[in-house]
Each structure stands twice: as C-alpha cells, then as structure tokens.
C-alpha cells in the first residue's frame, strides 16, 4: 500500500529543488498534491514533469491576498488538508557589514513571516492526523559565515516548530522540522566545481545531498509511520553537523 494514499498535501516552493522532489515523492505515494510558488511557468513545468495527482496554484506567500486565495482554492478543490510541507525559502550571502534592511527583510519575510501565516491558514483545514513539515537547515544550528541572516531565520523555524507541536497537539496535528545540509538543488547551479569540492570535503559522506534523499525524510515525517514524532528536528546532512 502506498504511504500517502488518500491524503491531501500542500507543498510550498514545490516547483524546484527540495520542494519539487517532495511533491514528486508524495504523488508517487498516492497523495493528491498541490504546489505553490510565484513563477507560473515553472509551476506548470513541474506539474508536467511529475504528472498524476498534482495541481499548481500560483501566488506569493508573502502577500496576504495571495495566501488567502491559495487556501480558498485548495478548499474548493479538495475540501481539506492533511499535510503541509513548507519548502519555500531564500538564502543570500551578506557579511555583517554588508547586511542591509532590505537583505534582512527578504530573508525573514519569506523564511519566517510567510511560513507563520501559511501554517496559521493551513491548520484551519486540518484535522486529527494532520502533519506539518517545516524545511529548516543545519545552518540554523551551525556557524555559517556570510549567511547569518539566513541562519537566524532557519533557527526561527526550529523554534516555531517546537512551540507549535505543543499548541497543536490537542488537535491531533504534528509539527516537525526537517533540516538538510548542503543539497544539490538549483541554488548550487552557479557554484564553481572548486567550491563544490571544498564543501563536499567538509561532509563525512564526501558529497552533497540529493533532493530525493530529503524527500524520503519528508515522507517519513508526513506519513503515519511517524505518528509518535512531533516537535523533532530530523537532520539530513551526511554527518556534516556531527
């Protein structure tokens, strides 16, 4: 039996990278999947590439009107929500000296603010057995020179997940954080081979992660195989943070 058969899932940032891999795996496991993002062409391409029970709803999660429309549309098409995977995020380099208000706002607006209100909306359509998976990062627990703002935003993700796991427990909704290490997503397309090699050398597994490996971990946290797991952080990083 497929692990998500009959489930309704929403994957934010589902048109590329980790979000795309999660959406694909969830469809393979029997879920009806909705993906969202700002780029309509990229969303349409993702739907075509994955096939099966998947639909795209375009929108900007940092925009309250778009967020409301997202959940109104989802409710009209599916009537409920069983799983939310929040995979939207942005990472930009800036030293302390280079950090501007605009840089700070971009990171926290999408990585934290949008996540908070996405979850707030999502739980209105969830019932007993609901599962929320927030994509964090090992950057939230490690020194990451040049990425302090990104790291702080991902530490906030972990903090929210812990508190929400307690707040939502009476409703039968689980909340967990999935924290990948360096993963071979489009974010690394512009990275030189030298940087890739240097980064890989710091990882005991001696390679970057594969989005499909992160998706497999997301499947565990979203499925009934993890019904006693809530408030946890699952680290998938080839041993890097150890």
């Amino acid at each position: 039996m497929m692990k998500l058969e009959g489930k309704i899932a929403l994957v934010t940032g589902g048109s590329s990278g980790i979000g795309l891999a999660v959406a694909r795996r969830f469809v393979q496991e029997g879920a009806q999947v909705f993906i969202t993002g700002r780029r309509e062409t990229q969303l349409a391409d993702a739907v075509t590439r994955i096939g099966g029970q998947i639909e795209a709803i375009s929108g900007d999660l940092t925009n309250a009107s778009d967020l409301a429309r997202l959940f109104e549309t989802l409710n009209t098409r599916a009537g409920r929500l069983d799983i939310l995977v929040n995979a939207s995020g942005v990472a930009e380099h800036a030293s302390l000296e280079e950090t501007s208000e605009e840089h700070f706002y971009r990171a926290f607006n999408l990585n934290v603010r949008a996540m908070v209100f996405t979850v707030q909306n999502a739980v209105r359509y969830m019932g007993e057995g609901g599962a929320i998976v927030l994509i964090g990062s090992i950057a939230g627990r490690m020194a990451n020179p040049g990425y302090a703002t990104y790291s702080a935003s991902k530490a906030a993700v972990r903090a929210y997940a812990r508190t929400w796991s307690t707040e939502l427990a009476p409703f039968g909704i689980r909340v967990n954080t999935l924290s990948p290490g360096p993963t071979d997503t489009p974010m690394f397309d512009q990275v030189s081979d030298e940087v890739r090699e240097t980064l890989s050398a710091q990882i005991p597994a001696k390679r970057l992660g594969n989005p499909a490996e992160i998706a497999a971990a997301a499947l565990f946290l979203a499925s009934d195989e993890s019904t006693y797991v809530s408030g946890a952080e699952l680290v998938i990083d080839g041993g890097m943070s150890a």
Side-chain angles (χ1 to χ4, degrees), residues 103-132:
H103 164 80
F104 180 89
Y105 180 75
R106 278 194 300 272
F108 272 81
N109 195 33
L110 181 58
N111 296 358
V112 183
R113 178 180 171 274
M115 176 200 70
V116 169
F117 292 106
T118 297
V119 172
Q120 184 186 70
N121 278 272
V123 297
R124 295 169 180 162
Y125 300 95
M126 283 186 166
E128 182 81 24
I132 297 172

Side-chain angles (χ1 to χ4, degrees), residues 1-43:
M1 180 178 176
M2 293 182 287
K3 295 179 180 179
L4 299 180
E5 189 169 0
K7 300 288 188 179
I8 308 297
L10 171 63
V11 181
T12 74
S15 62
S16 67
I18 290 172
L20 177 64
V22 170
R24 177 182 288 115
R25 184 62 188 273
F26 281 14
V27 169
Q28 292 171 349
E29 293 292 341
Q32 179 181 353
V33 177
F34 293 85
I35 59 174
T36 189
R38 291 177 295 178
R39 301 176 180 86
E40 293 187 13
T41 300
Q42 202 170 28
L43 285 170

Side-chain angles (χ1 to χ4, degrees), residues 86 111-112 115 134-137 152-162 164 176-178:
N86 192 91
N111 296 358
V112 183
M115 176 200 70
L134 306 178
I135 303 300
S137 170
S153 72
K154 290 303 185 179
V157 170
R158 292 172 57 221
Y160 271 112
R162 290 187 183 119
W164 287 340
N176 290 289
T177 305
L178 176 56

Side-chain angles (χ1 to χ4, degrees), residues 200-216:
S200 296
Q202 299 173 21
I203 303 171
K206 301 305 178 186
R207 65 175 177 85
L208 302 181
N210 185 299
E213 294 172 313
I214 312 305

Side-chain angles (χ1 to χ4, degrees), residues 68-148:
R69 179 175 54 80
L70 166 65
F71 283 96
E72 288 168 2
T73 304
L74 190 150
N75 186 47
T76 298
R77 296 181 184 176
R80 72 175 199 278
L81 181 63
D82 302 305
I83 300 164
L84 168 67
V85 178
N86 192 91
S88 298
V90 62
E92 296 177 339
H93 181 278
S95 65
L96 175 60
E97 183 179 1
E98 296 167 334
T99 298
S100 64
E101 290 187 7
E102 291 77 14
H103 164 80
F104 180 89
Y105 180 75
R106 278 194 300 272
F108 272 81
N109 195 33
L110 181 58
N111 296 358
V112 183
R113 178 180 171 274
M115 176 200 70
V116 169
F117 292 106
T118 297
V119 172
Q120 184 186 70
N121 278 272
V123 297
R124 295 169 180 162
Y125 300 95
M126 283 186 166
E128 182 81 24
I132 297 172
V133 181
L134 306 178
I135 303 300
S137 170
I138 62 169
R141 56 165 57 217
M142 297 177 66
N144 199 15
Y147 288 91

